PDB file of all heavy atoms in Angstrom:
ATOM      1  N   GLY U  35      -1.707  16.054 -14.695  1.00 96.00           N
ATOM      2  CA  GLY U  35      -1.477  17.445 -14.310  1.00 96.00           C
ATOM      3  C   GLY U  35      -0.503  18.075 -15.284  1.00 96.00           C
ATOM      4  O   GLY U  35       0.278  17.376 -15.925  1.00 96.00           O
ATOM      5  N   HIS U  36      -0.547  19.398 -15.365  1.00 94.00           N
ATOM      6  CA  HIS U  36       0.333  20.107 -16.296  1.00 94.00           C
ATOM      7  C   HIS U  36       1.795  19.905 -15.923  1.00 94.00           C
ATOM      8  O   HIS U  36       2.099  19.490 -14.804  1.00 94.00           O
ATOM      9  CB  HIS U  36       0.012  21.601 -16.270  1.00 94.00           C
ATOM     10  CG  HIS U  36      -1.343  21.917 -16.813  1.00 94.00           C
ATOM     11  ND1 HIS U  36      -1.708  21.639 -18.105  1.00 94.00           N
ATOM     12  CD2 HIS U  36      -2.429  22.466 -16.231  1.00 94.00           C
ATOM     13  CE1 HIS U  36      -2.960  22.012 -18.306  1.00 94.00           C
ATOM     14  NE2 HIS U  36      -3.430  22.509 -17.169  1.00 94.00           N
ATOM     15  N   SER U  37       2.660  20.245 -16.856  1.00 93.00           N
ATOM     16  CA  SER U  37       4.091  20.216 -16.575  1.00 93.00           C
ATOM     17  C   SER U  37       4.370  21.123 -15.375  1.00 93.00           C
ATOM     18  O   SER U  37       3.834  22.234 -15.297  1.00 93.00           O
ATOM     19  CB  SER U  37       4.830  20.712 -17.821  1.00 93.00           C
ATOM     20  OG  SER U  37       6.187  20.530 -17.639  1.00 93.00           O
ATOM     21  N   GLY U  38       5.147  20.635 -14.429  1.00 94.00           N
ATOM     22  CA  GLY U  38       5.457  21.425 -13.232  1.00 94.00           C
ATOM     23  C   GLY U  38       4.446  21.250 -12.108  1.00 94.00           C
ATOM     24  O   GLY U  38       4.579  21.852 -11.039  1.00 94.00           O
ATOM     25  N   ALA U  39       3.424  20.412 -12.307  1.00 96.00           N
ATOM     26  CA  ALA U  39       2.375  20.225 -11.292  1.00 96.00           C
ATOM     27  C   ALA U  39       2.860  19.427 -10.088  1.00 96.00           C
ATOM     28  O   ALA U  39       2.221  19.433  -9.045  1.00 96.00           O
ATOM     29  CB  ALA U  39       1.161  19.536 -11.914  1.00 96.00           C
ATOM     30  N   GLY U  40       3.981  18.708 -10.267  1.00 97.00           N
ATOM     31  CA  GLY U  40       4.525  17.956  -9.137  1.00 97.00           C
ATOM     32  C   GLY U  40       4.517  16.448  -9.316  1.00 97.00           C
ATOM     33  O   GLY U  40       4.827  15.704  -8.382  1.00 97.00           O
ATOM     34  N   LYS U  41       4.207  15.977 -10.522  1.00 97.00           N
ATOM     35  CA  LYS U  41       4.092  14.531 -10.757  1.00 97.00           C
ATOM     36  C   LYS U  41       5.418  13.805 -10.513  1.00 97.00           C
ATOM     37  O   LYS U  41       5.464  12.813  -9.789  1.00 97.00           O
ATOM     38  CB  LYS U  41       3.614  14.247 -12.197  1.00 97.00           C
ATOM     39  CG  LYS U  41       2.280  14.910 -12.541  1.00 97.00           C
ATOM     40  CD  LYS U  41       1.829  14.587 -13.952  1.00 97.00           C
ATOM     41  CE  LYS U  41       2.737  15.122 -15.047  1.00 97.00           C
ATOM     42  NZ  LYS U  41       2.827  16.608 -15.099  1.00 97.00           N
ATOM     43  N   SER U  42       6.491  14.329 -11.130  1.00 96.00           N
ATOM     44  CA  SER U  42       7.796  13.675 -10.951  1.00 96.00           C
ATOM     45  C   SER U  42       8.222  13.718  -9.496  1.00 96.00           C
ATOM     46  O   SER U  42       8.779  12.743  -8.978  1.00 96.00           O
ATOM     47  CB  SER U  42       8.882  14.372 -11.781  1.00 96.00           C
ATOM     48  OG  SER U  42       8.611  14.252 -13.141  1.00 96.00           O
ATOM     49  N   THR U  43       7.962  14.831  -8.856  1.00 97.00           N
ATOM     50  CA  THR U  43       8.331  14.958  -7.441  1.00 97.00           C
ATOM     51  C   THR U  43       7.612  13.899  -6.613  1.00 97.00           C
ATOM     52  O   THR U  43       8.226  13.228  -5.774  1.00 97.00           O
ATOM     53  CB  THR U  43       7.988  16.376  -6.930  1.00 97.00           C
ATOM     54  OG1 THR U  43       8.762  17.321  -7.683  1.00 97.00           O
ATOM     55  CG2 THR U  43       8.287  16.523  -5.449  1.00 97.00           C
ATOM     56  N   LEU U  44       6.332  13.710  -6.871  1.00 98.00           N
ATOM     57  CA  LEU U  44       5.556  12.710  -6.126  1.00 98.00           C
ATOM     58  C   LEU U  44       6.160  11.310  -6.330  1.00 98.00           C
ATOM     59  O   LEU U  44       6.362  10.560  -5.365  1.00 98.00           O
ATOM     60  CB  LEU U  44       4.095  12.772  -6.567  1.00 98.00           C
ATOM     61  CG  LEU U  44       3.074  11.987  -5.742  1.00 98.00           C
ATOM     62  CD1 LEU U  44       1.692  12.628  -5.838  1.00 98.00           C
ATOM     63  CD2 LEU U  44       2.989  10.534  -6.161  1.00 98.00           C
ATOM     64  N   LEU U  45       6.495  10.985  -7.589  1.00 98.00           N
ATOM     65  CA  LEU U  45       7.064   9.658  -7.852  1.00 98.00           C
ATOM     66  C   LEU U  45       8.449   9.537  -7.222  1.00 98.00           C
ATOM     67  O   LEU U  45       8.810   8.483  -6.687  1.00 98.00           O
ATOM     68  CB  LEU U  45       7.150   9.404  -9.362  1.00 98.00           C
ATOM     69  CG  LEU U  45       5.799   9.342 -10.106  1.00 98.00           C
ATOM     70  CD1 LEU U  45       6.027   9.125 -11.596  1.00 98.00           C
ATOM     71  CD2 LEU U  45       4.913   8.230  -9.554  1.00 98.00           C
ATOM     72  N   ARG U  46       9.230  10.628  -7.289  1.00 96.00           N
ATOM     73  CA  ARG U  46      10.586  10.568  -6.702  1.00 96.00           C
ATOM     74  C   ARG U  46      10.541  10.401  -5.183  1.00 96.00           C
ATOM     75  O   ARG U  46      11.448   9.821  -4.587  1.00 96.00           O
ATOM     76  CB  ARG U  46      11.395  11.806  -7.095  1.00 96.00           C
ATOM     77  CG  ARG U  46      11.787  11.820  -8.585  1.00 96.00           C
ATOM     78  CD  ARG U  46      13.018  12.678  -8.843  1.00 96.00           C
ATOM     79  NE  ARG U  46      12.803  14.051  -8.454  1.00 96.00           N
ATOM     80  CZ  ARG U  46      12.496  15.028  -9.318  1.00 96.00           C
ATOM     81  NH1 ARG U  46      12.379  14.783 -10.600  1.00 96.00           N
ATOM     82  NH2 ARG U  46      12.328  16.260  -8.874  1.00 96.00           N
ATOM     83  N   LEU U  47       9.482  10.915  -4.554  1.00 97.00           N
ATOM     84  CA  LEU U  47       9.326  10.708  -3.107  1.00 97.00           C
ATOM     85  C   LEU U  47       9.098   9.228  -2.805  1.00 97.00           C
ATOM     86  O   LEU U  47       9.643   8.691  -1.844  1.00 97.00           O
ATOM     87  CB  LEU U  47       8.155  11.535  -2.568  1.00 97.00           C
ATOM     88  CG  LEU U  47       8.399  13.045  -2.436  1.00 97.00           C
ATOM     89  CD1 LEU U  47       7.081  13.772  -2.233  1.00 97.00           C
ATOM     90  CD2 LEU U  47       9.349  13.337  -1.281  1.00 97.00           C
TER      91      LEU U  47
END
Side-chain angles (χ1 to χ4, degrees):
H36 293 299
S37 188
K41 303 181 296 297
S42 296
T43 298
L44 190 153
L45 296 178
R46 289 204 300 260
L47 286 166

